[in-house]
Amino acid sequence: MASMITQESCNKSFGGYQKVFSHYSSVLECRMKFAIYLPPQAEDGKCPLLYYLSGLTCTEQNFIQKAGAQRFASQHGFIVVAADTSPRGCNIPGEDEKWNVGTGASLYVDATQEPWCKHYRMYSYIVSELPAIIEQNFPVLPDRSSIFGHSMGGHGALLCALLNPGKYKSVSAFAPVCNSVKCAPFQEALRLYLGSDVHEQNKWNATELAKKYDGPPLNILIDQGMEDEFLQDLHPEEFTRACAESRISVVLNMREGYDHGYYFISSFIEHHFEYHAKFLK
Ligand SMILES: N[C@@H](CCC(=O)N[C@@H](CS)C(=O)NCC(=O)O)C(=O)O
């Protein structure tokens, strides 16, 4: 059954349109929003697709307002979908009390523990439900999608690519959480969503998944600011060592002087579009 989407906003940008839609998610059992940039090329034909996953506390708005992505999406002719970071308004006790648990902090996993497991299934939403909605409603080229993200969303992008060999042509991340169980801000939410068993938590750990990866060649780009205030929680070097053990090609750029935020992301966004263009065109 085709799901109904409702347009919430539409702004012309670099010859294309930056839009936001809302819809009911049957996977998350709540209403959700996503942002989509439609480049001028989408008026005449189908375009490759890039998914972007944001970090803790974000909505679908942070990336579209602060990353400066529309200029490059327009140049390359990419449709770019920016998802929200969690279900919202689910009336789970404690869901709005902390910046790193509940709303804005899904960790892009499928929760297994009550009461979170009914709604907090962002992984399934990102890899299954959202792509089906995008394909039904927008002129995207089937089999030409890639994924990228920031911080918690970088972790989410790595999870989606590592758990679905061949689904995404390429994956990139800005300052991703590379070893989720070692990330202090993640620990309470990991325990609440997945329980205390580290084996269960490691099913959603990009470094552990990279060690076991056995799919077709996977290409990963990571940019990391060296003045990032969260750097001790991110472990990018450990991730690149794990990739070396598998057949995963990873480029890690350590960027001197840059911090964790959107000044850093907007400085390297063009470079990430150029990277994905090598695999999507
Ligand atoms: N505890 C902080 C940290 C949140 C944070 O830095 N979030 C990052 C992702 S990990 C972000 O993208 N924030 C939104 C923005 O910069 O627009 C807060 O809530 O103020």
Side-chain angles (χ1 to χ4, degrees), residues 61-74:
Q61 289 291 323
N62 300 68
F63 176 76
I64 64 175
Q65 292 184 20
K66 294 164 94 173
Q70 291 88 354
R71 175 190 296 269
F72 306 110
S74 172

Side-chain angles (χ1 to χ4, degrees), residues 146-157:
S146 290
I147 190 162
F148 66 154
H150 169 227
S151 193
M152 174 183 76
H155 146 87

Side-chain angles (χ1 to χ4, degrees), residues 52 54-59 61-63 66 98-100 104 150-153 175 177 185-186 229-230 234 260-263 265:
Y52 180 86
S54 290
L56 286 165
T57 73
C58 291
T59 68
Q61 289 291 323
N62 300 68
F63 176 76
K66 294 164 94 173
K98 293 184 176 168
W99 69 283
N100 54 345
H150 169 227
S151 193
M152 174 183 76
V177 171
F186 272 22
E229 57 276 30
F230 290 105
L234 304 178
H260 193 69
Y262 273 84
Y263 292 112
I265 294 173

Side-chain angles (χ1 to χ4, degrees), residues 7 15 83 105 113 120 269:
Q7 188 169 302
Q113 304 297 300
Y120 276 67
I269 190 83

